[in-house]
Amino acid sequence: MNPIITCTDLTHHYGKRLIYENLNFSVPEGRILGLLGKNGTGKTTTINILNGYLKPSSGECTIFGENIRQINPITKQRIALLIEGHVQYSFMNIEQIERFYASFYPKWKKEAYYELMDLLKVAPRQRIANMSCGQRSQVALGLIMAQNADLLILDDFSLGLDPGYRRLFIEYLREYAKSERKTVFLTSHIIQDMEKLIDDCIILDYGKILIQKSVSELMDTFKKFTFKISDTRISLPADEKFYNPAVYRGNGELFSFQNMEYVKQYLCKHSIEHSQLKSEKLNLEDIFIGLTGKY
Amino acid sequence: MIKAILYKEWIKTRYLFLLAAVILAAFTAYCQLRIGKVVSLRGAAHLWEILLSRDNTFYEPMRYVPLFSGVLLALFQLVPEMQQNRLKLCLHLPLPQNKIIGIMLGFGVSLLLALFVVTYLIIFLYLNPILAPELICRVMLTMLPWYVAGIAGYAFVAFAVLEPTWRRRLLNVLAGAAFIQIFYLSSYAEAYNQVIVWLLIITLALVGLSFLSVSRFKDGVQ
């Protein structure tokens, strides 16, 4: 599959603070890729760089093969953008904003927008500024769907949404992206939603990419191992194949892509007396915590 | 696409446009009432005498009204763009960045010019039957710097509002205040006749400073 987005050796600093260094990733055509990470790991920075709102310290990004700093307006027509917090022209009403955007995009689908607006139960002349956060998110989503772009870039789409609107947004977006073969690159704080939405994920840690995999592969191979330890003063030695090993009140836990045999050998090698060694599959949120830690 | 951008700018500024039109109309009417009072009490000859011998043009209460209009227009037009970084939406539109900003600023300046030209026209039509052309010219040339100051106010507020950092914003405001002060240094009639064309050219060129602010916004300067 052709990569729609490619970032090569991307490095960015805010002043002296390094956000990340030599980041390399690509987003294949027709996939929904989620960029996950704790606060401050550079998710919105990446989105800003991709949209040309931020000049990276070094490195290069391309979208549809064009350098994002000199992107052609015709190519821009193929990219839909959702800004963090579903920001839109709140001084317009839902009719005015549709009329405004329609003239910029040749593949504009007015029906897609009004189909979603019909669910909102707001007056056509109601200003966006007077809508709830959930309603505003639907306006933003409706505009993205009407634009009928080939690539959708969504920055923290779940921000401020209650569970109902989050679910509505995800279901609409997933169904739309899959049926129309759209490529989606998104970020979100709420990982539990992403499981139902994304095909692939990149997990960012401070300064680097921790992992880039398909969600199904990640959920099949990444496990949590738990065991009981009689000596409560013991701490688990570091091992490059384990993520966040910890002991709390005699309960040991660690996360890994390795199998049970590897864990047994590790415990044996370090003479850690244990019992009730178990492995369990995790949901995406637990995988995220397992990889990045709780703190 | 250009029409769509103009439509957006109109939605933001239409109420302010009406308000500015009402304020300009009210001040113009007030000044013209003062002239009317002199003419009815002492005759048109006395009015001529005042205009020739003193620096009073009877339109002094309007001195700061164009500036006030320019500043308010820039605030109403551009603050919504900077709230929640909404300018990103604008810059994401499939048009060259400078063209989008050029259309927005062009709209603002045109709106101001439209207001000012109409006011000028009203003043001309009112004065035409009671004053000689030279005296009408004297009144209008005396008022011209105030109107150019209105455009300068718009240019510098746009420059400051579109700037992404508060420190630079403050510097831009100070630079604007220093430049605009030039238009109010002298209260003598026709004091700016020798330089007003140059001041107008410089002021129109200064509208372009906003491109610098947008470029800094685009580079993600914080």
Side-chain angles (χ1 to χ4, degrees):
Chain A
M1 274 184 281
N2 292 331
I4 300 295
I5 299 175
T6 311
C7 286
T8 316
D9 296 332
L10 202 62
T11 300
H12 194 68
H13 299 83
Y14 284 116
K16 285 182 183 167
R17 192 166 79 92
L18 174 74
I19 303 300
Y20 44 59
E21 198 167 20
N22 296 326
L23 219 63
N24 290 286
F25 67 89
S26 60
V27 183
E29 186 179 359
R31 302 286 286 181
I32 305 177
L33 188 142
L35 183 65
L36 316 180
K38 290 179 177 176
N39 291 339
T41 50
K43 300 186 297 295
T44 297
T45 299
T46 308
I47 297 268
N48 282 338
I49 289 173
L50 280 176
N51 284 296
Y53 303 133
L54 187 61
K55 201 171 166 184
S57 304
S58 65
E60 190 188 77
C61 289
T62 63
I63 295 182
F64 297 116
E66 288 182 34
N67 187 312
I68 43 103
R69 297 295 299 173
Q70 290 108 32
I71 209 150
N72 190 310
I74 305 288
T75 310
K76 268 191 184 175
Q77 286 178 332
R78 300 174 64 195
I79 307 166
L81 170 67
L82 180 84
I83 298 177
E84 190 174 6
H86 312 100
V87 172
Q88 265 306 338
Y89 292 118
S90 52
F91 47 84
M92 293 187 182
N93 62 39
I94 62 173
E95 279 182 354
Q96 288 170 334
I97 204 163
E98 189 277 326
R99 216 176 305 145
F100 169 71
Y101 280 115
S103 60
F104 290 98
Y105 301 104
K107 294 196 285 177
W108 188 260
K109 283 161 84 178
K110 192 176 181 173
E111 332 68 68
Y113 174 75
Y114 278 111
E115 191 183 302
L116 200 53
M117 290 310 99
D118 287 343
L119 299 174
L120 282 185
K121 298 181 181 69
V122 292
R125 299 271 162 93
Q126 187 179 337
R127 282 177 73 209
I128 294 168
N130 298 331
M131 291 179 182
S132 70
C133 186
Q135 287 172 328
R136 283 203 302 272
S137 75
Q138 298 302 293
V139 172
L141 179 63
L143 291 169
I144 282 175
M145 287 163 69
Q147 187 183 331
N148 201 11
D150 298 320
L151 168 66
L152 282 64
I153 299 177
L154 317 177
D155 188 11
D156 212 348
F157 70 87
S158 49
L159 189 77
L161 296 185
D162 64 31
Y165 271 113
R166 269 198 337 252
R167 184 64 63 87
L168 190 65
F169 195 102
I170 285 166
E171 285 171 359
Y172 248 83
L173 182 65
R174 171 100 193 159
E175 208 278 319
Y176 169 74
K178 287 296 155 191
S179 62
E180 307 268 332
R181 236 188 109 62
K182 306 293 185 191
T183 307
V184 184
F185 181 74
L186 55 86
T187 69
S188 174
H189 273 97
I190 301 179
I191 313 287
Q192 70 203 60
D193 293 341
M194 300 288 244
E195 201 173 312
K196 298 184 186 73
L197 177 62
I198 59 178
D199 301 317
D200 306 307
C201 71
I202 293 174
I203 298 181
L204 278 177
D205 202 1
Y206 295 100
K208 61 180 192 294
I209 288 180
L210 215 50
I211 228 143
Q212 177 170 9
K213 275 186 193 302
S214 76
V215 173
S216 57
E217 189 190 345
L218 199 56
M219 291 176 77
D220 283 345
T221 54
F222 192 74
K223 292 183 188 73
K224 178 183 181 181
F225 295 91
T226 55
F227 42 88
K228 298 267 183 204
I229 296 175
S230 43
D231 184 356
T232 52
R233 291 163 304 167
I234 208 164
S235 63
L236 298 174
D239 183 305
E240 60 174 20
K241 302 256 167 79
F242 293 154
Y243 296 87
N244 299 298
V247 179
Y248 182 68
R249 291 191 178 181
N251 296 306
E253 68 169 34
L254 52 87
F255 300 85
S256 180
F257 288 102
Q258 300 302 314
N259 57 22
M260 182 72 94
E261 204 50 44
Y262 187 91
V263 180
K264 277 182 185 168
Q265 279 174 14
Y266 160 84
L267 292 170
C268 209
K269 191 171 113 189
H270 295 286
S271 311
I272 299 167
E273 282 190 30
H274 64 278
S275 61
Q276 298 174 43
L277 175 62
K278 284 185 292 191
S279 77
E280 56 181 282
K281 283 194 166 190
L282 303 169
N283 61 31
L284 190 60
E285 187 169 87
D286 290 334
I287 290 173
F288 177 79
I289 300 285
L291 282 165
T292 61
K294 288 171 187 157
Y295 302 103
Chain B
M1 291 190 213
I2 295 171
K3 252 172 78 179
I5 296 175
L6 296 177
Y7 175 62
K8 169 171 77 76
E9 299 311 303
W10 175 244
I11 291 173
K12 282 184 289 183
T13 54
R14 58 193 164 163
Y15 297 119
L16 189 270
F17 177 75
L18 283 174
L19 179 72
V22 168
I23 292 172
L24 274 165
F27 271 85
T28 310
Y30 169 69
C31 295
Q32 291 177 175
L33 277 174
R34 291 172 74 206
I35 293 172
K37 198 172 149 193
V38 172
V39 172
S40 62
L41 289 176
R42 314 276 302 261
H46 183 69
L47 178 69
W48 284 44
E49 193 191 319
I50 295 173
L51 285 171
L52 282 168
S53 60
R54 295 182 213 166
D55 282 308
N56 190 350
T57 61
F58 291 90
Y59 284 95
E60 275 71 22
M62 287 194 72
R63 220 167 134 85
Y64 295 99
V65 179
L67 175 65
F68 186 63
S69 308
V71 168
L72 273 187
L73 181 69
L75 289 174
F76 269 69
Q77 188 187 358
L78 300 170
V79 168
E81 297 288 345
M82 295 308 281
Q83 281 172 334
Q84 298 180 287
N85 288 327
R86 217 167 262 134
L87 190 63
K88 286 179 180 177
L89 293 171
C90 215
L91 298 178
H92 185 70
L93 294 172
L95 277 178
Q97 172 191 316
N98 287 344
K99 190 172 178 179
I100 299 170
I101 303 303
I103 295 166
M104 288 166 67
L105 296 172
F107 174 87
V109 173
S110 305
L111 215 60
L112 271 185
L113 284 175
L115 279 171
F116 296 167
V117 166
V118 169
T119 325
Y120 243 58
L121 206 65
I122 292 168
I123 295 169
F124 174 79
L125 291 174
Y126 179 76
L127 295 180
N128 198 31
I130 43 176
L131 291 181
E134 290 81 359
L135 284 176
I136 296 175
C137 212
R138 182 175 170 81
V139 171
M140 294 204 152
L141 281 171
T142 305
M143 292 176 77
L144 193 56
W146 309 339
Y147 286 96
V148 181
I151 298 169
Y154 176 83
F156 275 99
V157 172
F159 181 38
V161 172
L162 293 170
E163 160 61 39
T165 65
W166 278 103
R167 212 172 119 195
R168 271 284 187 105
R169 254 179 211 165
L170 192 67
L171 287 174
N172 295 356
V173 168
L174 292 174
F179 181 75
I180 289 164
Q181 212 189 8
I182 295 172
F183 297 94
Y184 298 99
L185 286 175
S186 172
S187 54
Y188 292 113
E190 294 189 79
Y192 288 84
N193 283 5
Q194 302 296 315
V195 290
I196 193 63
V197 175
W198 290 109
L199 282 175
L200 178 64
I201 292 168
I202 292 167
T203 299
L204 289 175
L206 288 174
V207 177
L209 283 174
S210 294
F211 289 97
L212 197 71
S213 296
V214 173
S215 169
R216 283 168 52 77
F217 178 89
K218 191 95 194 286
D219 284 344
V221 177
Q222 290 189 330

